[in-house]
Amino acid sequence: MEVKSTTHRIKKMVQSGCFLFLFVFTQSYFASAQDAANKLYVKGGKMYIELSKQTSDYALDSFINRYEFNKLELKRFIKNNFNDSLLNQGWKLEKESPDLFIISKKLEGYEDIRKPANRILFTEKNLSFDQRFPVVSNAIPYGYNRFKNKFPFASSDSVVTFYLRNNINARKVMLAGSFNNWKPDALAMTKTDSGWVAYVKLGAGKYWYKFIVDGGWTIDTDNMTSENDGQGNTNSVYFKPNHVFRTTAFSQAKKIYVAGSFNKWRNKELLLNNNGNGWELPLYLADGTHTYRYIVDGNWSVDPENSERLPNELSDFNSVVRIGKPFHFFLEGYTDAKKAILTGSFNSWRKEELYMKKTGKGWELSYTAGPGNYQYHFIVDDKVVIQSGAAATTGNTYFIIDPNFTFRLKGFSNAKTIFLAGDFNDWSANTFAMKRAGDEWILKVHLYPGKHLYKFIVDGKWILDPVNKLWEQNEYNTGNSVLWMGKNPGM
């Protein structure tokens, strides 16, 4: 997968006269939120920068690096009131107070930029919507739908019926979303006696959409779940379910919630609906093993209609849902041991849950985990057992399910050890060992679509990726390399 520097992309857009709009509508690529003190925003056809006079050097460096404001010399402006660079690039001082500066610059030219489709398609030249907002990702463990004034969209097999209530006098209504690349003229809705419908074939996952009523873009006002994409667009969100929590066992209950490992056991979030024949709640769940319990009128209970259970830390049991393919673990030997337990990052290192089965040659267990990068070890008769191939410093073995990207580091022929660390392995500095292959070091891992941070550790020294010019500052002022992962990455 080719990694291009943001500077290169911006220079290309400057040549086409669209630099300022690229700046505004790609700001979410560099961070998920702005610094509380320093802000970048658009209002009344102008771009504004708000700078705190008390901002720390780290916060200011992070802000400058995030939006590539190096040429504005904002540090000199704040400390010495030096504004030549600002004036030369068309900025002017809007306001100054004892606490802050506000500077502005008029936005210029991208035709019809106010239309959501144009904003989305414009930025796809750099990063697609799917890269920033993947349909399926191990970063999205679950999702559910909340509607008012209408029922959730009906789903039969893989076909979902999108429904816009009212708007009977509209001449034309279209549906656009992440499922059709936000094309405004691709999916016409059909008028009914109470609104408009469209049928879309979807796999399980998370989707974003809007309605276009006589040319005007609008969210689904009956959908209580919406998200801003950081580019001026607020989009409605729909989760295509792949599992239904259903029970008929509590006929006298007033309220039933479900809570589990997928939602961090929040006990008043996921309310089941009473449909007259029982209780149910459709959910999207990512691939993996999910433990859960019902909360029936305030009392916790296993699912009496699900026989599959795992022990928990309360000397009780949790019910289990498995989605995806199982991974087989085997520990050779230790046939005289009384018990062997598997624990790892995939089950939050719980030690009371995964008891292995003894065989004639050792211990085994099948466990379902979704695509990802994991660490684990065994506990045999209360002692940690390090399996062959484990990292000597951590005592953990790592394994990758569905590797889809290869990290490469050329040179360093005299290095003894090189490890890879990033947000995909909890920044573990001594677990993901890279292997020498010719004139480079390589390691295959799984990366979900979107943004990732990483570094290499060469004989104990943390370094940025020397061939990747895309990076951002961190809290240690040493920087992290940045990688954006697409749907179809190269290996």
Side-chain angles (χ1 to χ4, degrees):
M1 175 180 176
E2 183 182 4
V3 179
K4 294 184 178 180
S5 72
T6 306
T7 303
H8 175 72
R9 293 196 298 266
I10 289 177
K11 285 180 179 179
K12 288 184 67 177
M13 301 315 298
V14 169
Q15 295 170 4
S16 64
C18 301
F19 167 75
L20 288 177
F21 281 103
L22 177 69
F23 227 177
V24 175
F25 299 119
T26 57
Q27 58 182 289
S28 66
Y29 300 160
F30 301 99
S32 58
Q34 299 186 34
D35 184 87
N38 304 314
K39 299 178 181 178
L40 171 68
Y41 57 92
V42 175
K43 183 178 179 182
K46 291 183 179 180
M47 183 193 303
Y48 290 85
I49 299 176
E50 186 174 312
L51 297 169
S52 169
K53 291 184 177 180
Q54 282 75 43
T55 187
S56 66
D57 286 341
Y58 169 72
L60 184 57
D61 285 340
S62 179
F63 180 81
I64 291 171
N65 181 66
R66 183 180 304 166
Y67 301 111
E68 299 201 359
F69 281 142
N70 307 78
K71 293 183 179 180
L72 293 184
E73 299 194 61
L74 294 178
K75 278 188 174 181
R76 293 183 66 186
F77 173 63
I78 290 179
K79 295 180 179 180
N80 305 316
N81 205 24
F82 179 85
N83 62 0
D84 286 4
S85 296
L86 299 175
L87 296 176
N88 289 337
Q89 297 185 51
W91 294 83
K92 71 175 184 178
L93 180 64
E94 288 277 352
K95 179 182 177 180
E96 180 179 1
S97 71
D99 298 319
L100 58 81
F101 291 104
I102 298 179
I103 60 176
S104 71
K105 184 176 183 180
K106 185 179 179 180
L107 291 172
E108 298 173 355
Y110 181 73
E111 187 177 2
D112 292 331
I113 197 69
R114 290 184 179 87
K115 294 182 180 179
N118 284 350
R119 282 202 289 264
I120 294 167
L121 295 176
F122 182 63
T123 57
E124 279 181 349
K125 294 177 182 178
N126 300 282
L127 292 172
S128 70
F129 192 93
D130 286 336
Q131 280 181 280
R132 294 176 291 118
F133 302 103
V135 172
V136 175
S137 164
N138 49 358
I140 307 173
Y142 76 109
Y144 65 106
N145 299 302
R146 297 181 300 152
F147 287 85
K148 59 183 180 181
N149 302 320
K150 67 184 180 185
F151 291 108
F153 298 144
S155 176
S156 177
D157 295 326
S158 59
V159 178
V160 176
T161 303
F162 282 80
Y163 171 54
L164 172 63
R165 192 172 56 89
N166 296 331
N167 294 276
I168 298 300
N169 294 324
R171 296 185 301 274
K172 180 180 180 182
V173 178
M174 309 295 292
L175 174 64
S178 56
F179 41 78
N180 70 348
N181 293 320
W182 296 97
K183 295 178 181 178
D185 300 316
L187 188 53
M189 302 190 74
T190 303
K191 184 185 288 189
T192 71
D193 59 349
S194 59
W196 299 77
V197 296
Y199 305 98
V200 184
K201 189 174 182 178
L202 299 176
K206 184 177 182 179
Y207 298 88
W208 294 257
Y209 70 97
K210 275 187 171 181
F211 300 117
I212 309 165
V213 182
D214 289 336
W217 292 72
T218 178
I219 62 171
D220 186 346
T221 55
D222 292 325
N223 187 341
M224 299 172 67
T225 305
S226 62
E227 290 181 355
N228 192 294
D229 64 3
Q231 299 176 308
N233 301 305
T234 297
N235 303 313
S236 297
V237 175
Y238 173 73
F239 287 95
K240 173 65 166 58
N242 58 353
H243 181 77
V244 179
F245 286 98
R246 183 181 289 114
T247 179
T248 59
F250 307 100
S251 58
Q252 302 302 313
K254 296 179 179 179
K255 283 187 178 181
I256 299 179
Y257 292 89
V258 63
S261 55
F262 45 87
N263 78 331
K264 299 182 179 179
W265 297 97
R266 289 186 288 270
N267 62 348
K268 291 186 177 181
E269 179 187 26
L270 302 175
L271 180 66
L272 275 69
N273 303 306
N274 191 335
N275 61 12
N277 297 315
W279 302 79
E280 65 177 27
L281 178 65
L283 247 68
Y284 162 73
L285 293 175
D287 282 3
T289 298
H290 306 280
T291 54
Y292 71 96
R293 290 170 71 89
Y294 290 134
I295 303 98
V296 184
D297 293 336
N299 299 310
W300 291 76
S301 170
V302 294
D303 183 347
E305 294 159 287
N306 182 358
S307 60
E308 188 169 9
R309 301 172 182 179
L310 289 173
N312 62 27
E313 70 278 12
L314 302 175
S315 299
D316 203 340
F317 292 89
N318 296 325
S319 299
V320 178
V321 172
R322 303 180 194 272
I323 297 177
K325 298 178 181 179
F327 186 88
H328 189 73
F329 292 88
F330 178 72
L331 175 63
E332 187 176 3
Y334 301 94
T335 54
D336 294 331
K338 296 180 180 179
K339 63 180 179 179
I341 297 171
L342 170 68
T343 181
S345 57
F346 42 79
N347 77 330
S348 300
W349 298 99
R350 288 189 289 273
K351 300 179 181 179
E352 70 288 330
E353 187 176 71
L354 301 178
Y355 285 82
M356 304 184 74
K357 180 181 179 180
K358 184 186 290 189
T359 70
K361 296 182 179 180
W363 298 80
E364 64 180 10
L365 178 73
S366 291
Y367 185 87
T368 300
N373 313 296
Y374 302 101
Q375 301 179 51
Y376 71 96
H377 60 241
F378 303 103
I379 303 174
V380 180
D381 288 344
D382 299 321
K383 293 183 179 180
V384 173
V385 170
I386 301 175
Q387 192 178 44
S388 176
T393 51
T394 64
N396 299 325
T397 304
Y398 72 83
F399 69 104
I400 315 296
I401 295 180
D402 292 343
N404 61 355
F405 185 82
T406 302
F407 281 93
R408 302 177 184 276
L409 180 63
K410 288 192 175 183
F412 299 94
S413 58
N414 294 324
K416 296 180 180 179
T417 60
I418 297 182
F419 290 91
L420 171 68
D423 54 14
F424 41 81
N425 72 344
D426 295 324
W427 292 98
S428 175
N430 47 22
T431 303
F432 278 22
M434 302 185 72
K435 294 182 179 180
R436 186 76 178 171
D439 64 343
E440 60 183 1
W441 298 75
I442 64 172
L443 180 65
K444 293 182 178 181
V445 302
H446 176 84
L447 298 180
Y448 58 80
K451 178 183 176 182
H452 294 279
L453 304 176
Y454 69 98
K455 291 182 96 166
F456 299 114
I457 303 101
V458 181
D459 289 338
K461 182 180 179 181
W462 293 69
I463 68 169
L464 295 172
D465 186 343
V467 299
N468 183 1
K469 296 181 180 180
L470 193 60
W471 67 281
E472 68 179 33
Q473 194 57 274
N474 58 27
E475 65 271 30
Y476 305 108
N477 204 33
T478 58
N480 296 317
S481 292
V482 177
L483 172 66
W484 283 93
M485 191 69 172
K487 289 192 301 182
N488 299 305
M491 290 292 289

